[in-house]
Amino acid sequence: MNRICILGGSGFVGHRLVSVLSKRGYPCRLLSRHPQRHAELKVYPGVELVKVSQFDSPSLQQHFAGCQSIINLIGILNETKKASFMSTHVALVDQIVEAAIKSGATRLLHMSALHADAGKGSSEYLRSKGEGENRAHTHGGSALTVTSFRPSVIFGPGDGLFNRFASLLSLSPGLFPLASPDSRFAPVYVGDVAEAFARALEDSSTAGAHYDLCGPEVYSLKELVRYCASQLGIHRLIVPLNPSLSRLQARLLGLLPGKPFTMDNYLSLQTDSVCTNNGLLTLGITPQSIQSHVPRYLADQGYRKRFDRYRKVVE
C-alpha cells in the first residue's frame, strides 16, 4: 500500500485528511515538531507520528524514505518572528520538492489558496502561495507528479472561521465593527477538501492539475457573520466599515498579540474567494453547505451557554 508522508497533518485539515486516508487503508507518516501534543491521531490505524526538529532538505529526505506520496498542508495566515510567508510558502516548498525527489517519492499533493498568484495576488499571502504553487509544479519536473488544491475559506468543526466569529460575537458588547463587509466567499467543507485530496491520490488523471475548491453557495462576509449570530441566538448590530476604517482596524489589530486581523489579511479580502470552475465537481464530489454542519458544531461548542452566562453577569 502507498505510504504517505504528511506535513501539517496535525492541523485543522490534516486531522480530517488523516481520518479519510486511514479509512482507505493508507499508512500515514505525520511529521511534527511536537508530536506529543497530537497523540489523538494515533487512534487511526497505520498512523505514525514522527518528531522533526528541522524542515530542511536533508532531514526531510530522511523522513520521506519509504513514502511514495508526499502531502504538504503547511501554511500561515500571518507572519511571525519565526515564520515569514516566503520561508513557509516558498522556501519550504523548494525543500520539500528536493527531498521528495531525492528520497524516491513520485507524488506530491500541495495545498495552495484560491486566487493565489505570484504576480497579481492582492496580498503577500496570496503572492507567496502562488509562488510556492508554481515552484511545486515546475521544480517537480518529470520525477515528481504534482497536484495542487486552491480552497476558498474552509469550515468545519474546529475551524478558524465560524468558531472565531462565534467567540468574538459572544464577547462583543452590542456593536460588531466589521472590516470589508462585502468581501465574498464560497466556504468549503473540510470533509470535501479531504476527499478531494484522497481522490486525486487515487486518480492518475489529476497529475499536473490545479483544483479550485468551493462550497455550493456564495456569501458576503457580513452575511456569514449574521448567519453565525443567528445560530447563536444572539443579536448584534453589525457595523460595516468603509475601506479607510477597515484599514485602520487592520493596523490597530495587527499590533495586538496573536494579530487577530492584519493589513495583509485586509489586502487578501480585496480578492473575492469564489470559484469560476469548482474542482470538487470535476472530482465527482458534491459540495456540502454550511447549513449541513455549522449549526451542529456551534451548538456542540456551547457558545450559546457562554453568552447566557455573560448576559446574567451583565444584568
Side-chain angles (χ1 to χ4, degrees):
M1 176 63 75
N2 181 1
R3 180 176 294 278
I4 303 167
C5 189
I6 306 177
L7 296 92
S10 59
F12 169 53
V13 176
H15 270 73
R16 189 56 179 256
L17 180 57
V18 169
S19 172
V20 169
L21 293 177
S22 178
K23 289 177 181 177
R24 280 171 157 83
Y26 289 101
C28 297
R29 179 178 298 162
L30 277 58
L31 307 186
S32 173
R33 294 186 188 277
H34 306 285
Q36 70 280 3
R37 298 178 183 176
H38 310 289
E40 73 281 357
L41 289 166
K42 292 183 179 180
V43 302
Y44 298 112
V47 169
E48 176 189 7
L49 279 168
V50 177
K51 180 177 177 60
V52 180
S53 56
Q54 292 185 342
F55 284 84
D56 55 28
S57 183
S59 298
L60 291 175
Q61 182 181 343
Q62 176 184 352
H63 294 301
F64 289 172
C67 295
Q68 291 73 48
S69 298
I70 312 299
I71 297 179
N72 177 34
L73 301 175
I74 294 178
I76 57 173
L77 290 175
N78 293 312
E79 294 184 308
T80 66
K81 292 181 179 179
K82 295 183 178 180
S84 68
F85 288 131
M86 290 302 293
S87 66
T88 305
H89 298 158
V90 180
L92 177 59
V93 173
D94 288 342
Q95 299 284 348
I96 291 171
V97 171
E98 179 183 352
I101 294 174
K102 289 183 177 180
S103 70
T106 57
R107 195 80 164 92
L108 171 63
L109 303 186
H110 176 72
M111 178 71 89
S112 186
L114 193 57
H115 302 309
D117 190 309
K120 299 179 181 179
S122 60
S123 64
E124 185 63 24
Y125 168 79
L126 290 174
R127 290 190 293 273
S128 63
K129 274 289 192 179
E131 179 64 21
E133 182 180 350
N134 291 344
R135 294 196 186 195
H137 283 266
T138 57
H139 293 181
S142 59
L144 194 63
T145 300
V146 181
T147 304
S148 56
F149 302 85
R150 304 163 167 169
S152 182
V153 61
I154 305 174
F155 73 92
D159 65 31
L161 176 64
F162 289 105
N163 281 288
R164 169 168 289 192
F165 280 125
S167 295
L168 294 173
L169 285 164
S170 297
L171 297 173
S172 63
L175 297 179
F176 193 84
L178 183 65
S180 301
D182 297 322
S183 297
R184 299 193 305 153
F185 302 86
V188 59
Y189 180 53
V190 64
D192 292 340
V193 174
E195 182 65 21
F197 273 79
R199 293 195 183 190
L201 193 66
E202 299 168 342
D203 184 353
S204 61
S205 70
T206 64
H210 307 253
Y211 290 102
D212 293 350
L213 306 180
C214 283
E217 298 173 312
V218 174
Y219 301 88
S220 69
L221 184 58
K222 180 169 58 179
E223 289 171 335
L224 289 175
V225 174
R226 283 177 174 168
Y227 176 77
C228 188
S230 71
Q231 295 305 307
L232 298 176
I234 62 179
H235 301 284
R236 294 289 183 269
L237 178 60
I238 299 172
V239 182
L241 300 181
N242 62 30
S244 295
L245 290 176
S246 295
R247 288 192 293 269
L248 177 60
Q249 185 187 68
R251 291 191 181 97
L252 293 175
L253 294 182
L255 298 174
L256 297 179
K259 298 182 179 181
F261 184 56
T262 67
M263 193 63 192
D264 201 74
N265 298 153
Y266 166 78
L267 293 173
S268 291
L269 290 176
Q270 305 318 298
T271 300
D272 287 337
S273 188
V274 298
C275 291
T276 301
N277 298 302
N278 195 344
L280 289 179
L281 300 177
T282 304
L283 292 166
I285 301 169
T286 301
Q288 299 180 64
S289 68
I290 63 174
Q291 292 84 0
S292 300
H293 298 278
V294 175
R296 181 174 65 254
Y297 69 76
L298 285 186
D300 290 344
Q301 292 294 329
Y303 291 106
R304 179 57 189 270
K305 292 181 180 178
R306 282 160 51 188
F307 168 70
D308 288 340
R309 289 198 297 269
Y310 169 77
R311 183 173 59 184
K312 289 178 179 179
V313 171
V314 173
E315 293 175 347

